[in-house]
């Protein structure tokens, strides 16, 4: 009998929490009025949307008015980067990001470089961390934006955002943080991080796909040029009829994460330690403790060997799912100094809320035999 497939690809997308599904079903069935309409049928939709805005804002220690709904972190990242560059173009033409950003940050940055901006890409150390001194050295008077992610989607490594933000203090350079992987997994406060813009995605935290948010600091106010033009929704910064069933699902997911984060992380660290305890032929990529527990990136001692091809009863990845149409060595591991073969055959194991002890035990046993 073939074993059921165990899902170990939470970093690509998490299962949707049943409580989120239930809330979305109610929203789809009952809250169908357009949230922007003036009649009374829109009233409960507006209330539900406002609650979701508060729930998502609360997850990152922000006020509800600073949350802008988008279609996901890709759009949030694009809006933050292009929006800042266009609005503040008179301030300067220099941008900074790290080499291990998600493609939805790196590609807009490269596009702006083609359009005449100067771009500095910071190389992290071998453990995946960008050092504050590197940022300090790269910073210029004409640097308008720094974009550094919080948790890496391939390694789980967490950047020390407050220490990086400290280097920008007293300058007019804005800081954007892609928190798609960390939100809902580790406590976030936009004030403690010291960021001006922060990207979020619902489907990385047990919510639905196709909905995300961009936190935009209000004091002092950060201005953006829109990516799209249309009606006046969301102060015309991101027009379009709001997908309220998805927003309500995202809000519920944020609320659950807020309540369960501490106990969940404790459990995931136990799983993390259990998986690493039994492996002999693998090396962990990324910092051993400045990280999320639910993403483990491993390289086999034989760098030609592809463990993903062996572990067919587990849904696993070599790297980011969004890069699977352009297979090749992971740009994240290459930037951390791994050779091309190592970076092409890494094993990303990611797990979360619905992973069971039994699944961890099965995967641990399988890994120990490779
Ligand atoms: C770090 C990071 N940023 C951005 C994204 C894009 O998110 P979305 O799928 O919501 O567009 C992802 C998803 O893979 C991610 O892991």
């Amino acid at each position: 009998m073939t074993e059921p497939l165990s899902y170990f690809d939470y970093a690509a997308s998490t299962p949707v929490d049943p409580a989120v599904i239930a809330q979305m079903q109610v929203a789809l069935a009952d809250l169908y009025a357009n949230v922007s309409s003036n009649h009374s049928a829109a009233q409960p939709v507006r209330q539900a949307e406002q609650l979701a805005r508060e729930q998502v804002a609360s997850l990152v220690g922000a006020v509800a008015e600073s949350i802008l709904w988008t279609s996901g972190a890709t759009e949030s990242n694009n809006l933050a980067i292009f929006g800042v560059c266009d609005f503040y173009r008179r301030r300067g033409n220099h941008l900074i990001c790290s080499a291990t950003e998600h493609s939805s940050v790196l590609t807009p940055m490269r596009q702006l470089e083609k359009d005449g901006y100067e771009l500095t890409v910071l190389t992290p150390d071998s453990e995946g961390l960008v050092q504050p001194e590197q940022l300090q050295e790269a910073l210029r008077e004409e640097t308008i934006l720094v974009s550094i992610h919080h948790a890496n989607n391939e390694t789980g490594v967490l950047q020390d955002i407050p220490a990086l933000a400290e280097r920008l203090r007293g300058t007019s350079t804005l800081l954007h943080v892609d928190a798609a992987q960390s939100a809902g997994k580790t406590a976030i406060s936009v004030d403690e991080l010291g960021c001006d813009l922060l990207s979020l995605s619902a489907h990385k935290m047990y919510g639905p796909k196709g909905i995300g948010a961009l936190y935009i600091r209000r004091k002092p106010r950060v201005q953006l040029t829109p990516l799209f033009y249309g009606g006046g929704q969301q102060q015309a910064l991101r027009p379009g009829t709001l997908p309220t069933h998805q927003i309500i699902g995202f809000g519920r997911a944020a609320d659950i994460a807020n309540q369960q984060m501490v106990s969940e992380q404790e459990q995931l660290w136990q799983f993390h330690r259990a998986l690493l305890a039994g492996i002999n032929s693998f090396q962990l990529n990324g910092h051993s403790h400045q990280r999320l527990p639910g993403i483990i990136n491993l390289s086999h001692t034989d760098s030609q060997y592809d463990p993903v091809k062996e572990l067919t009863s587990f849904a696993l990845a070599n790297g980011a799912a969004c890069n699977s149409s352009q297979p090749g060595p992971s740009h994240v591991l290459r930037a951390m100094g791994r050779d091309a073969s190592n970076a092409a055959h890494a094993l990303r194991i990611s797990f979360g809320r619905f992973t069971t002890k039994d699944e961890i035990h099965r995967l641990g046993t399988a890994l120990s035999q490779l």
Side-chain angles (χ1 to χ4, degrees):
M1 207 174 79
T2 53
E3 289 192 84
L5 189 71
S6 283
Y7 190 74
F8 277 95
D9 202 14
Y10 277 61
S13 200
T14 54
V16 183
D17 193 295
V20 170
I21 296 174
Q23 193 96 33
M24 288 181 72
Q25 280 170 336
V26 173
L28 275 168
D30 300 339
L31 301 176
Y32 45 79
N34 188 320
V35 73
S36 304
S37 294
N38 285 327
H39 49 70
S40 61
Q43 194 76 23
V45 189
R46 259 196 295 284
Q47 282 167 0
E49 189 260 338
Q50 178 60 23
L51 173 64
R53 193 178 284 278
E54 285 161 13
Q55 288 167 322
V56 170
S58 156
L59 187 69
V60 296
V63 292
E65 299 70 42
S66 60
I67 296 296
L68 183 87
W69 302 120
T70 65
S71 60
T74 296
E75 186 189 330
S76 300
N77 289 343
N78 274 264
L79 177 57
I81 295 167
F82 287 114
V84 162
C85 285
D86 191 76
F87 195 90
Y88 295 101
R89 64 179 179 273
R90 284 201 191 85
R91 270 194 193 168
N93 70 337
H94 181 233
L95 307 168
I96 301 176
C97 69
S98 85
T100 51
E101 296 304 314
H102 188 263
S103 51
S104 57
V105 167
L106 277 175
T107 316
M109 288 286 188
R110 291 290 182 204
Q111 185 57 44
L112 285 162
E113 194 181 26
K114 282 188 203 147
D115 294 344
Y117 283 82
E118 289 184 32
L119 174 65
T120 303
V121 179
L122 305 174
T123 304
D125 63 20
S126 60
E127 301 201 301
L129 291 170
V130 174
Q131 299 302 330
E133 301 73 44
Q134 289 177 274
L135 177 58
Q136 178 102 57
E137 262 174 43
L139 206 59
R140 304 179 195 165
E141 214 159 285
E142 44 307 348
T143 311
I144 48 177
L145 181 69
V146 173
S147 182
I148 308 270
H149 62 292
H150 195 202
N152 188 270
N153 54 306
E154 293 190 34
T155 62
V157 169
L158 278 168
Q159 299 295 336
D160 187 351
I161 301 293
L164 295 165
E166 187 58 37
R167 304 298 171 127
L168 303 183
R169 199 192 279 262
T171 73
S172 59
T173 304
L174 296 172
L175 176 62
H176 165 246
V177 173
D178 175 358
Q181 289 289 344
S182 57
K185 322 272 174 61
T186 190
I188 290 183
S189 147
V190 286
D191 287 339
E192 278 170 27
L193 290 183
C195 62
D196 301 291
L197 297 145
L198 182 104
S199 299
L200 301 168
S201 176
H203 78 100
K204 308 289 185 183
M205 43 177 282
Y206 311 98
K209 292 165 190 62
I211 183 74
L214 180 65
Y215 156 80
I216 308 170
R217 184 170 291 286
R218 290 176 75 82
K219 284 184 191 161
R221 195 179 186 89
V222 175
Q223 309 264 31
L224 299 170
T225 303
L227 291 180
F228 314 140
Y229 294 86
Q233 296 97 338
Q234 302 203 84
Q235 290 88 50
L237 180 51
R238 203 286 190 174
T241 304
L242 289 182
T244 33
H245 60 295
Q246 285 168 292
I247 290 171
I248 289 164
F250 188 10
R252 184 78 176 104
D255 194 40
I256 298 169
N258 243 338
Q259 289 168 30
Q260 301 189 3
M261 194 185 304
V262 174
S263 58
E264 227 161 73
Q265 288 306 289
E266 184 52 43
Q267 169 79 93
L268 295 185
W269 272 115
Q270 281 179 25
F271 287 172
H272 181 100
R273 286 190 286 268
L275 279 176
L276 290 187
I279 56 170
N280 309 307
S281 315
F282 290 93
Q283 176 205 332
L284 177 71
N285 291 314
H287 200 277
S288 62
H289 52 274
Q290 197 170 316
R291 60 158 49 256
L292 294 176
I295 303 179
I296 295 179
N297 192 301
L298 301 172
S299 286
H300 197 270
T301 44
D302 174 0
S303 67
Q304 298 297 325
Y305 180 74
D306 187 351
V308 174
K309 294 212 171 91
E310 302 294 323
L311 300 162
T312 50
S313 61
F314 302 91
L316 289 157
N318 286 119
C322 54
N323 292 337
S324 58
S325 61
Q326 312 146 0
S330 144
H331 73 279
V332 172
L333 297 181
R334 288 295 277 152
M336 290 163 61
R338 306 295 184 269
D339 66 31
S341 179
N342 234 306
H345 299 128
L347 168 65
R348 181 182 72 177
I349 302 166
S350 54
F351 46 95
R353 185 174 295 163
F354 304 107
T355 307
T356 64
K357 244 184 182 165
D358 182 55
E359 286 176 309
I360 293 289
H361 180 70
R362 277 205 311 121
L363 179 58
T365 307
L367 284 173
S368 68
Q369 289 161 2
L370 296 182

